Amino acid sequence: MVQSVLGSLILGYRPLWNRTRKLAGIQLYAHNEASATVDGGHLLRTLQELWSASSPPLLISAQTRQLLCDLLENAPRAAPWIEVRGEWLSDSAIYDRVKAAHQRGLRMVWRGDMDKLPEPEIARCFDNSLLTLRPEDAVAALQATPPRPGSAAAAAGPVAKRTPSPVLAGQMYENIASRALMEHCLDQGNAMALAGWPTEDVLYSLRHHPQQPSHAVIFKLMKAIDDEQSLETFEDIMGEDPLLAYRFMVYTNSAALGLRTGIDSLRRGLVMMGYSSIKRWLSDQLPHASTEANMQPVREAMVIRAQLTARLLDAGIENDLRREIYLCGLLSQLDELLGEPLGTILKRLPLSERIYDATVLRTGPYTGGLQMACALETDDASAIRQLCETFEMDLEEVNRALLRVLSDLEVERK
């Protein structure tokens, strides 16, 4: 039996978000141990088997030169985008392979700092770039941003001619930590996508407005109830918004409903309330619901973490447990949304102790899956390797779980 390539790679991921704040693709980190030579062609075939027409486009970020060389040599024309680090082009083995791959029609992405863009001759080999703005570029970009209508700057009237923004239209950007810079890149600079999201600054900028569930998710759930879809569908939609799921469980456990037993899952709450009561409750939520587009990537990233936690711990377990593990992942970042300690938040609900143990105490049967789901959101191969050892998780199974979750994500294609 041929050993799977997934047993000798450490994978991680980062979402790519477009101008509409929707998922545009996935950056897939791929790291191989120095002692292991990995067949890049085998990796590409494995991805092709798992990916469907609705799966997100991929940008493969090889974390070692050996793996990059192998990908450049073996990738067919229709392969996912292959990232090439700018500083690695000084290596003649990589430089020559990039030229040859371009001749074959392989699509490549140059990754590096704005001030170190490649010479025209090699720049022609790349379809796109993943750029990092220097601090002075970031300042220039923000100075080029027109003031928001109604702001003090706008009220002050016209100012001297603005300097042009250094942001290049149609390119991708990473390490954007501020909401203002993110909005400039996507909305004024027409960037193709951002790798990662300035979650911390987005939440900070909204700190004076209590977080509310998503208007779009509430509306989608109300429509599903009108269309008399299945209980599984209702549960899946409610699980698309951590705050909606939390609020629903707080409500179903409130004295107002007077239910005799504690509601410890979304499904039980949906069954106990009945559809007309659920719809009435959703109608009450709708007027206050959030239409803040910048929160969409924040919520979606939390949902991906929940899906990954459930998949990592799925060993043929029963559905109730799988739903409990999903809830564990979904609620694990509520403190960021609500601005209070997670332990305090979770104590309001009659949840399984396993959820509290994993999210607050970092102990118990779910903690390995949750910690691994968090680690996979990075390119930190040593942390992932350490978690595999600590929790006796099989690397191939971890990678397979990650790729299945990522391939099931859907992107809107124009």
Side-chain angles (χ1 to χ4, degrees):
M1 181 180 164
V2 179
Q3 188 193 3
S4 165
V5 70
L6 298 181
S8 44
L9 278 174
I10 297 174
L11 302 178
Y13 76 99
R14 182 163 59 164
L16 303 171
W17 304 104
N18 65 17
R19 192 176 180 183
T20 62
R21 280 51 168 179
K22 299 252 178 82
L23 188 69
I26 293 288
Q27 182 181 12
L28 184 70
Y29 304 119
H31 183 279
N32 62 306
E33 304 290 3
S35 57
T37 301
V38 173
D39 180 350
H42 189 177
L43 171 61
L44 293 166
R45 288 190 296 277
T46 303
L47 292 172
Q48 190 177 6
E49 285 165 18
L50 290 167
W51 249 240
S52 69
S54 62
S55 299
L58 276 180
L59 167 62
I60 301 178
S61 294
Q63 303 294 294
T64 65
R65 296 179 190 229
Q66 180 269 312
L67 181 56
L68 176 61
C69 284
D70 211 64
L71 287 169
L72 292 173
E73 213 161 274
N74 292 297
R77 184 175 182 152
W81 273 353
I82 306 291
E83 171 212 295
V84 180
R85 298 184 191 187
E87 68 264 29
W88 285 4
L89 285 167
S90 58
D91 182 334
S92 60
I94 291 175
Y95 185 93
D96 293 344
R97 282 172 172 82
V98 163
K99 300 274 279 190
H102 173 62
Q103 292 291 320
R104 285 203 317 276
L106 185 66
R107 296 175 309 154
M108 291 172 287
V109 171
W110 184 91
R111 182 182 183 186
D113 293 343
M114 278 283 297
D115 62 328
K116 294 174 183 162
L117 295 173
E119 295 297 321
E121 184 198 357
I122 194 75
R124 283 193 286 273
C125 295
F126 294 97
D127 288 66
N128 208 288
S129 49
L130 178 57
L131 302 171
T132 297
L133 293 171
R134 298 172 300 167
E136 54 266 44
D137 295 325
V139 170
L142 292 174
Q143 286 175 341
T145 305
R148 285 172 176 272
S151 68
V159 291
K161 190 176 178 187
R162 295 184 183 280
T163 54
S165 169
V167 173
L168 304 173
Q171 307 305 302
M172 297 183 282
Y173 288 85
E174 64 176 334
N175 306 324
I176 302 294
S178 88
R179 171 183 173 155
L181 193 54
M182 168 270 288
E183 289 177 340
H184 174 80
C185 288
L186 291 174
D187 302 331
Q188 280 92 42
N190 290 318
M192 181 187 186
L194 289 195
W197 196 248
T199 297
E200 204 174 308
D201 199 48
V202 166
L203 290 171
Y204 182 76
S205 69
L206 298 170
R207 66 196 178 283
H208 300 307
H209 308 275
Q211 284 292 334
Q212 299 292 346
S214 158
H215 189 282
V217 175
I218 294 173
F219 194 79
K220 183 178 174 182
L221 185 49
M222 291 175 76
K223 187 173 185 315
I225 293 170
D226 281 343
D227 294 345
E228 298 180 355
Q229 294 190 22
S230 67
L231 184 64
E232 282 78 10
T233 301
F234 301 161
E235 187 180 16
D236 287 348
I237 295 172
M238 189 167 277
E240 289 177 17
D241 186 327
L243 205 48
L244 183 65
Y246 169 71
R247 288 265 177 88
F248 178 71
M249 290 188 70
V250 169
Y251 177 68
T252 56
N253 284 288
S254 65
L257 279 188
L259 298 174
R260 288 197 185 133
T261 56
I263 302 298
D264 61 356
S265 71
L266 294 178
R267 170 165 291 235
R268 198 158 289 146
L270 290 165
V271 169
M272 295 296 282
M273 271 187 74
Y275 299 163
S276 57
S277 302
I278 296 165
K279 195 164 176 204
R280 216 166 26 247
W281 179 77
L282 290 169
S283 299
D284 291 342
Q285 306 301 306
L286 208 54
H288 317 286
S290 169
T291 55
E292 173 59 64
N294 290 333
M295 280 301 297
Q296 200 163 279
V298 178
R299 275 191 299 271
E300 279 195 50
M302 291 179 175
V303 168
I304 296 172
R305 181 183 292 188
Q307 292 169 337
L308 200 41
T309 305
R311 180 74 77 163
L312 285 162
L313 292 173
D314 181 8
I317 53 174
E318 56 178 290
N319 285 335
D320 282 354
L321 269 183
R322 189 177 294 114
R323 285 193 283 266
E324 183 176 294
I325 296 168
Y326 181 88
L327 202 57
C328 176
L330 189 69
L331 303 181
S332 67
Q333 293 168 282
L334 270 180
D335 52 331
E336 294 178 26
L337 297 180
L338 297 176
E340 56 181 321
L342 190 57
T344 306
I345 296 166
L346 297 184
K347 283 293 186 190
R348 295 185 190 125
L349 301 174
L351 296 169
S352 152
E353 282 182 16
R354 292 181 288 259
I355 293 179
Y356 185 90
D357 289 349
T359 54
V360 179
L361 304 179
R362 295 181 163 237
T363 60
Y366 299 165
T367 188
L370 181 58
Q371 286 186 35
M372 181 61 84
C374 298
L376 291 170
E377 295 167 7
T378 72
D379 58 359
D380 190 345
S382 61
I384 294 166
R385 190 190 309 111
Q386 185 62 55
L387 285 171
C388 280
E389 290 173 14
T390 303
F391 295 102
E392 298 180 346
M393 300 172 90
D394 180 73
L395 183 58
E396 181 176 342
E397 289 305 313
V398 168
N399 287 333
R400 208 167 280 283
L402 171 62
L403 294 179
R404 284 194 177 122
V405 167
L406 296 179
S407 66
D408 284 345
L409 299 173
E410 293 190 1
V411 295
E412 288 180 7
R413 285 179 163 81
K414 293 174 185 173

